[in-house]
Amino acid sequence: MNELVAGGNVPLPDGAVTLRVPGPFDLSVIVTGDGGKVAGDGDFVFYNQPAAPGARLRGDSVTVDGRHLRAGASRVTVAVSPAEPGTPLGRLPGITLQVHGPGGQLVARFTPPRPDRETVLLLAEIYRRGPGWKLRAIGQGYADGLAGVARDFGVEVAQDEAPQPPVAFGARPGAASGARTGASSGARAGASSGSWPGAPAGSLRPGGSSSGPADPDGFLPLVNASRASVGAPPVTLDARLTAAASAHAAGMAARSVLSSEHADGTSLYQRVVAGGYAYLAIGEHLVSGPRTAADFVEYCLSGEQSRRTVHGRAYTQVGVAHTADARSGDLYWTALWAAPFTAQGLAEWGNAVLRLTNAERTAAGLRPLSPDPLLTVAAQNHSADMIARAFYAHTSPDGGEPWHRASAAGSAHRSIGENIACGQRTPAEVVDGWMNSPGHRANILKPAFTHLGVGFAGGGSAGTYWTQLFGG
């Protein structure tokens, strides 16, 4: 496996390769010839046009097969942009491009220098070299969004007089026994005759659903009536959550088993993220037996813990589906509750963890910790990295330790400590879990620590990954 730096290149194996960028991002692909200019609509692969000859987008991955590109195509450029339009990439988790060969083997990885105000990053290009293909890492940022990228590839961006209507795109983390902690001291795009229709410059990604997904048996009015009874705001149906729920319900019915994992070991949370939904909060109900939506909702309200999910104020969207087991006839239900990722929401959760941590320190007679932007960058990158590279530890697969990450982010603190956790739903739940573990509690109440950075990322096998990075 090759770790690339900007400008570095690596030969690609024969056949289709898959490029993946986990996290709250959108991938776009531009197909060009040697001149670097597009030829028309078919040269763009993006969320609303997920396939072109030789290239197909699925969730957070795009598969490229040079053998099947259009005639004259010799280059495929991969761009990444925020899932929430207009968000500077510097406010989101670190970006890591993973390149896999035809057999799924990891061929290369590229982590570009952290962007700042840029809203689009050209990550890499696949280009023809003789009879084969190579990949070059780029890392070039644009502050004017996908519109700037479009212009550089020969597209005139059309300015609309008014925004276009939104277009549809497209769980519970272990609250108790499933939660784990660890402590350590120490584009929307489309080209036609040179124009990019359908969105104003800099706002090329519609963000919602103009026609919601089907509501099986009137599920939504039932849950919103129950939420209203406790003063919780209503939720809306989301097509991406519904698609993930449908696939999961079908998988459970096919195996006649209730499980948060698919037959291939992929978690429900990974399925949600792969479907294009980046979340801040996530929860689920997995149930077999109820014959109607009313029966299903009644069951979900019958237990204290599952009722808290139905009434969860953090959730704003839901997806629900059911599938019958062909052998027994039992219905298998999946309901997914979520709040979409936003940069503001991430900041609010980080502030909540800091506030709760300082409340514990104050109660112990200690000085509160100050927020530290550099420690926050390192903590956020570690949470995202644990998902991207499928590990859960203070030591990363390449041997990096908490103090290495703090130093790489530019921190000058001489004393570093780290708490990690996975599976907890909320800041209150994760801080409570840390305080009930001696090693984590010692970090939170260490007098020598003066500053704190907080990281959070959703996805992976556990659903949520948290990092506290202390400095003193």
Side-chain angles (χ1 to χ4, degrees), residues 58-59 89 118 154-155 184 191 257 259 303 337 351 383 408 413 472:
R58 292 187 178 91
L89 290 169
E118 294 89 343
V155 179
S184 172
V257 62
S259 174
W337 309 78
N351 290 335
S383 288
H413 290 292

mmCIF file with all atom_site columns, all heavy atoms in Angstrom, residues 58-59 89 118 154-155 184 191 257 259 303 337 351 383 408 413 472:
data_model
loop_
_atom_site.group_PDB
_atom_site.id
_atom_site.type_symbol
_atom_site.label_atom_id
_atom_site.label_alt_id
_atom_site.label_comp_id
_atom_site.label_asym_id
_atom_site.label_entity_id
_atom_site.label_seq_id
_atom_site.pdbx_PDB_ins_code
_atom_site.Cartn_x
_atom_site.Cartn_y
_atom_site.Cartn_z
_atom_site.occupancy
_atom_site.B_iso_or_equiv
_atom_site.pdbx_formal_charge
_atom_site.auth_seq_id
_atom_site.auth_comp_id
_atom_site.auth_asym_id
_atom_site.auth_atom_id
_atom_site.pdbx_PDB_model_num
ATOM 1   N N   . ARG A 1 58  ? -21.367 5.436   -5.903  1.00 0.00 ? 58  ARG A N   1
ATOM 2   C CA  . ARG A 1 58  ? -22.249 4.788   -4.922  1.00 0.00 ? 58  ARG A CA  1
ATOM 3   C C   . ARG A 1 58  ? -21.871 5.302   -3.544  1.00 0.00 ? 58  ARG A C   1
ATOM 4   O O   . ARG A 1 58  ? -20.826 4.956   -3.004  1.00 0.00 ? 58  ARG A O   1
ATOM 5   C CB  . ARG A 1 58  ? -22.102 3.267   -4.951  1.00 0.00 ? 58  ARG A CB  1
ATOM 6   C CG  . ARG A 1 58  ? -22.611 2.574   -6.202  1.00 0.00 ? 58  ARG A CG  1
ATOM 7   C CD  . ARG A 1 58  ? -22.562 1.064   -6.031  1.00 0.00 ? 58  ARG A CD  1
ATOM 8   N NE  . ARG A 1 58  ? -23.081 0.349   -7.178  1.00 0.00 ? 58  ARG A NE  1
ATOM 9   C CZ  . ARG A 1 58  ? -22.340 -0.048  -8.202  1.00 0.00 ? 58  ARG A CZ  1
ATOM 10  N NH1 . ARG A 1 58  ? -21.041 0.221   -8.212  1.00 0.00 ? 58  ARG A NH1 1
ATOM 11  N NH2 . ARG A 1 58  ? -22.884 -0.695  -9.212  1.00 0.00 ? 58  ARG A NH2 1
ATOM 12  N N   . GLY A 1 59  ? -22.725 6.151   -2.973  1.00 0.00 ? 59  GLY A N   1
ATOM 13  C CA  . GLY A 1 59  ? -22.471 6.654   -1.627  1.00 0.00 ? 59  GLY A CA  1
ATOM 14  C C   . GLY A 1 59  ? -21.168 7.429   -1.560  1.00 0.00 ? 59  GLY A C   1
ATOM 15  O O   . GLY A 1 59  ? -20.968 8.416   -2.269  1.00 0.00 ? 59  GLY A O   1
ATOM 16  N N   . LEU A 1 89  ? -14.259 23.389  3.999   1.00 0.00 ? 89  LEU A N   1
ATOM 17  C CA  . LEU A 1 89  ? -13.743 22.059  4.299   1.00 0.00 ? 89  LEU A CA  1
ATOM 18  C C   . LEU A 1 89  ? -12.896 22.049  5.566   1.00 0.00 ? 89  LEU A C   1
ATOM 19  O O   . LEU A 1 89  ? -12.777 21.023  6.230   1.00 0.00 ? 89  LEU A O   1
ATOM 20  C CB  . LEU A 1 89  ? -12.927 21.534  3.112   1.00 0.00 ? 89  LEU A CB  1
ATOM 21  C CG  . LEU A 1 89  ? -13.746 21.170  1.865   1.00 0.00 ? 89  LEU A CG  1
ATOM 22  C CD1 . LEU A 1 89  ? -12.819 20.927  0.680   1.00 0.00 ? 89  LEU A CD1 1
ATOM 23  C CD2 . LEU A 1 89  ? -14.630 19.959  2.123   1.00 0.00 ? 89  LEU A CD2 1
ATOM 24  N N   . GLU A 1 118 ? -11.494 26.611  1.639   1.00 0.00 ? 118 GLU A N   1
ATOM 25  C CA  . GLU A 1 118 ? -11.895 25.982  0.380   1.00 0.00 ? 118 GLU A CA  1
ATOM 26  C C   . GLU A 1 118 ? -13.178 25.171  0.571   1.00 0.00 ? 118 GLU A C   1
ATOM 27  O O   . GLU A 1 118 ? -13.404 24.561  1.611   1.00 0.00 ? 118 GLU A O   1
ATOM 28  C CB  . GLU A 1 118 ? -10.790 25.072  -0.150  1.00 0.00 ? 118 GLU A CB  1
ATOM 29  C CG  . GLU A 1 118 ? -9.526  25.819  -0.552  1.00 0.00 ? 118 GLU A CG  1
ATOM 30  C CD  . GLU A 1 118 ? -8.542  25.996  0.581   1.00 0.00 ? 118 GLU A CD  1
ATOM 31  O OE1 . GLU A 1 118 ? -8.960  25.833  1.752   1.00 0.00 ? 118 GLU A OE1 1
ATOM 32  O OE2 . GLU A 1 118 ? -7.371  26.298  0.324   1.00 0.00 ? 118 GLU A OE2 1
ATOM 33  N N   . GLY A 1 154 ? -13.812 23.864  -18.499 1.00 0.00 ? 154 GLY A N   1
ATOM 34  C CA  . GLY A 1 154 ? -14.449 24.295  -19.736 1.00 0.00 ? 154 GLY A CA  1
ATOM 35  C C   . GLY A 1 154 ? -15.945 24.427  -19.689 1.00 0.00 ? 154 GLY A C   1
ATOM 36  O O   . GLY A 1 154 ? -16.602 24.372  -20.731 1.00 0.00 ? 154 GLY A O   1
ATOM 37  N N   . VAL A 1 155 ? -16.516 24.640  -18.491 1.00 0.00 ? 155 VAL A N   1
ATOM 38  C CA  . VAL A 1 155 ? -17.961 24.764  -18.363 1.00 0.00 ? 155 VAL A CA  1
ATOM 39  C C   . VAL A 1 155 ? -18.319 26.184  -17.961 1.00 0.00 ? 155 VAL A C   1
ATOM 40  O O   . VAL A 1 155 ? -17.719 26.752  -17.048 1.00 0.00 ? 155 VAL A O   1
ATOM 41  C CB  . VAL A 1 155 ? -18.508 23.792  -17.292 1.00 0.00 ? 155 VAL A CB  1
ATOM 42  C CG1 . VAL A 1 155 ? -20.006 23.953  -17.151 1.00 0.00 ? 155 VAL A CG1 1
ATOM 43  C CG2 . VAL A 1 155 ? -18.165 22.364  -17.682 1.00 0.00 ? 155 VAL A CG2 1
ATOM 44  N N   . SER A 1 184 ? -6.078  7.280   27.527  1.00 0.00 ? 184 SER A N   1
ATOM 45  C CA  . SER A 1 184 ? -4.634  7.262   27.393  1.00 0.00 ? 184 SER A CA  1
ATOM 46  C C   . SER A 1 184 ? -4.086  8.567   27.914  1.00 0.00 ? 184 SER A C   1
ATOM 47  O O   . SER A 1 184 ? -4.549  9.624   27.505  1.00 0.00 ? 184 SER A O   1
ATOM 48  C CB  . SER A 1 184 ? -4.227  7.080   25.924  1.00 0.00 ? 184 SER A CB  1
ATOM 49  O OG  . SER A 1 184 ? -2.842  7.251   25.765  1.00 0.00 ? 184 SER A OG  1
ATOM 50  N N   . ALA A 1 191 ? -23.391 19.161  -17.486 1.00 0.00 ? 191 ALA A N   1
ATOM 51  C CA  . ALA A 1 191 ? -22.912 20.062  -18.532 1.00 0.00 ? 191 ALA A CA  1
ATOM 52  C C   . ALA A 1 191 ? -23.701 19.835  -19.798 1.00 0.00 ? 191 ALA A C   1
ATOM 53  O O   . ALA A 1 191 ? -24.008 18.721  -20.165 1.00 0.00 ? 191 ALA A O   1
ATOM 54  C CB  . ALA A 1 191 ? -21.435 19.833  -18.793 1.00 0.00 ? 191 ALA A CB  1
ATOM 55  N N   . VAL A 1 257 ? -33.271 -13.094 11.147  1.00 0.00 ? 257 VAL A N   1
ATOM 56  C CA  . VAL A 1 257 ? -32.531 -12.721 12.349  1.00 0.00 ? 257 VAL A CA  1
ATOM 57  C C   . VAL A 1 257 ? -32.560 -11.214 12.524  1.00 0.00 ? 257 VAL A C   1
ATOM 58  O O   . VAL A 1 257 ? -32.506 -10.456 11.555  1.00 0.00 ? 257 VAL A O   1
ATOM 59  C CB  . VAL A 1 257 ? -31.067 -13.215 12.272  1.00 0.00 ? 257 VAL A CB  1
ATOM 60  C CG1 . VAL A 1 257 ? -30.319 -12.576 11.116  1.00 0.00 ? 257 VAL A CG1 1
ATOM 61  C CG2 . VAL A 1 257 ? -30.337 -12.963 13.578  1.00 0.00 ? 257 VAL A CG2 1
ATOM 62  N N   . SER A 1 259 ? -30.545 -8.109  13.670  1.00 0.00 ? 259 SER A N   1
ATOM 63  C CA  . SER A 1 259 ? -29.129 -7.799  13.821  1.00 0.00 ? 259 SER A CA  1
ATOM 64  C C   . SER A 1 259 ? -28.858 -6.406  13.285  1.00 0.00 ? 259 SER A C   1
ATOM 65  O O   . SER A 1 259 ? -29.505 -5.960  12.338  1.00 0.00 ? 259 SER A O   1
ATOM 66  C CB  . SER A 1 259 ? -28.264 -8.821  13.075  1.00 0.00 ? 259 SER A CB  1
ATOM 67  O OG  . SER A 1 259 ? -26.896 -8.450  13.111  1.00 0.00 ? 259 SER A OG  1
ATOM 68  N N   . GLY A 1 303 ? -41.119 0.231   25.843  1.00 0.00 ? 303 GLY A N   1
ATOM 69  C CA  . GLY A 1 303 ? -39.960 0.158   26.733  1.00 0.00 ? 303 GLY A CA  1
ATOM 70  C C   . GLY A 1 303 ? -39.353 1.532   26.930  1.00 0.00 ? 303 GLY A C   1
ATOM 71  O O   . GLY A 1 303 ? -39.379 2.380   26.031  1.00 0.00 ? 303 GLY A O   1
ATOM 72  N N   . TRP A 1 337 ? -33.562 6.764   12.982  1.00 0.00 ? 337 TRP A N   1
ATOM 73  C CA  . TRP A 1 337 ? -33.782 8.132   13.442  1.00 0.00 ? 337 TRP A CA  1
ATOM 74  C C   . TRP A 1 337 ? -32.450 8.862   13.375  1.00 0.00 ? 337 TRP A C   1
ATOM 75  O O   . TRP A 1 337 ? -31.427 8.330   13.784  1.00 0.00 ? 337 TRP A O   1
ATOM 76  C CB  . TRP A 1 337 ? -34.285 8.121   14.884  1.00 0.00 ? 337 TRP A CB  1
ATOM 77  C CG  . TRP A 1 337 ? -35.447 7.213   15.121  1.00 0.00 ? 337 TRP A CG  1
ATOM 78  C CD1 . TRP A 1 337 ? -35.412 5.848   15.265  1.00 0.00 ? 337 TRP A CD1 1
ATOM 79  C CD2 . TRP A 1 337 ? -36.818 7.584   15.225  1.00 0.00 ? 337 TRP A CD2 1
ATOM 80  N NE1 . TRP A 1 337 ? -36.686 5.358   15.454  1.00 0.00 ? 337 TRP A NE1 1
ATOM 81  C CE2 . TRP A 1 337 ? -37.566 6.408   15.433  1.00 0.00 ? 337 TRP A CE2 1
ATOM 82  C CE3 . TRP A 1 337 ? -37.477 8.814   15.159  1.00 0.00 ? 337 TRP A CE3 1
ATOM 83  C CZ2 . TRP A 1 337 ? -38.945 6.416   15.585  1.00 0.00 ? 337 TRP A CZ2 1
ATOM 84  C CZ3 . TRP A 1 337 ? -38.854 8.823   15.313  1.00 0.00 ? 337 TRP A CZ3 1
ATOM 85  C CH2 . TRP A 1 337 ? -39.585 7.639   15.520  1.00 0.00 ? 337 TRP A CH2 1
ATOM 86  N N   . ASN A 1 351 ? -18.838 21.802  22.145  1.00 0.00 ? 351 ASN A N   1
ATOM 87  C CA  . ASN A 1 351 ? -19.009 22.719  23.268  1.00 0.00 ? 351 ASN A CA  1
ATOM 88  C C   . ASN A 1 351 ? -19.734 22.054  24.431  1.00 0.00 ? 351 ASN A C   1
ATOM 89  O O   . ASN A 1 351 ? -19.428 22.325  25.601  1.00 0.00 ? 351 ASN A O   1
ATOM 90  C CB  . ASN A 1 351 ? -19.783 23.963  22.819  1.00 0.00 ? 351 ASN A CB  1
ATOM 91  C CG  . ASN A 1 351 ? -18.976 24.844  21.887  1.00 0.00 ? 351 ASN A CG  1
ATOM 92  O OD1 . ASN A 1 351 ? -17.745 24.818  21.912  1.00 0.00 ? 351 ASN A OD1 1
ATOM 93  N ND2 . ASN A 1 351 ? -19.653 25.624  21.061  1.00 0.00 ? 351 ASN A ND2 1
ATOM 94  N N   . SER A 1 383 ? -11.056 10.844  15.473  1.00 0.00 ? 383 SER A N   1
ATOM 95  C CA  . SER A 1 383 ? -12.376 10.215  15.405  1.00 0.00 ? 383 SER A CA  1
ATOM 96  C C   . SER A 1 383 ? -12.686 9.790   13.976  1.00 0.00 ? 383 SER A C   1
ATOM 97  O O   . SER A 1 383 ? -13.174 8.671   13.736  1.00 0.00 ? 383 SER A O   1
ATOM 98  C CB  . SER A 1 383 ? -13.448 11.186  15.917  1.00 0.00 ? 383 SER A CB  1
ATOM 99  O OG  . SER A 1 383 ? -13.370 11.343  17.315  1.00 0.00 ? 383 SER A OG  1
ATOM 100 N N   . ALA A 1 408 ? 1.379   17.285  15.363  1.00 0.00 ? 408 ALA A N   1
ATOM 101 C CA  . ALA A 1 408 ? 1.151   17.459  13.927  1.00 0.00 ? 408 ALA A CA  1
ATOM 102 C C   . ALA A 1 408 ? 0.133   18.559  13.654  1.00 0.00 ? 408 ALA A C   1
ATOM 103 O O   . ALA A 1 408 ? 0.179   19.215  12.605  1.00 0.00 ? 408 ALA A O   1
ATOM 104 C CB  . ALA A 1 408 ? 0.685   16.147  13.310  1.00 0.00 ? 408 ALA A CB  1
ATOM 105 N N   . HIS A 1 413 ? 1.580   22.067  23.554  1.00 0.00 ? 413 HIS A N   1
ATOM 106 C CA  . HIS A 1 413 ? 1.412   21.565  24.915  1.00 0.00 ? 413 HIS A CA  1
ATOM 107 C C   . HIS A 1 413 ? 2.430   20.461  25.199  1.00 0.00 ? 413 HIS A C   1
ATOM 108 O O   . HIS A 1 413 ? 2.679   19.586  24.361  1.00 0.00 ? 413 HIS A O   1
ATOM 109 C CB  . HIS A 1 413 ? -0.007  21.027  25.124  1.00 0.00 ? 413 HIS A CB  1
ATOM 110 C CG  . HIS A 1 413 ? -1.054  22.092  25.149  1.00 0.00 ? 413 HIS A CG  1
ATOM 111 N ND1 . HIS A 1 413 ? -1.151  23.025  26.155  1.00 0.00 ? 413 HIS A ND1 1
ATOM 112 C CD2 . HIS A 1 413 ? -2.055  22.381  24.277  1.00 0.00 ? 413 HIS A CD2 1
ATOM 113 C CE1 . HIS A 1 413 ? -2.172  23.829  25.925  1.00 0.00 ? 413 HIS A CE1 1
ATOM 114 N NE2 . HIS A 1 413 ? -2.737  23.455  24.780  1.00 0.00 ? 413 HIS A NE2 1
ATOM 115 N N   . GLY A 1 472 ? -1.673  20.340  28.510  1.00 0.00 ? 472 GLY A N   1
ATOM 116 C CA  . GLY A 1 472 ? -1.274  21.102  29.684  1.00 0.00 ? 472 GLY A CA  1
ATOM 117 C C   . GLY A 1 472 ? 0.167   21.519  29.593  1.00 0.00 ? 472 GLY A C   1
ATOM 118 O O   . GLY A 1 472 ? 0.913   21.122  28.691  1.00 0.00 ? 472 GLY A O   1
#
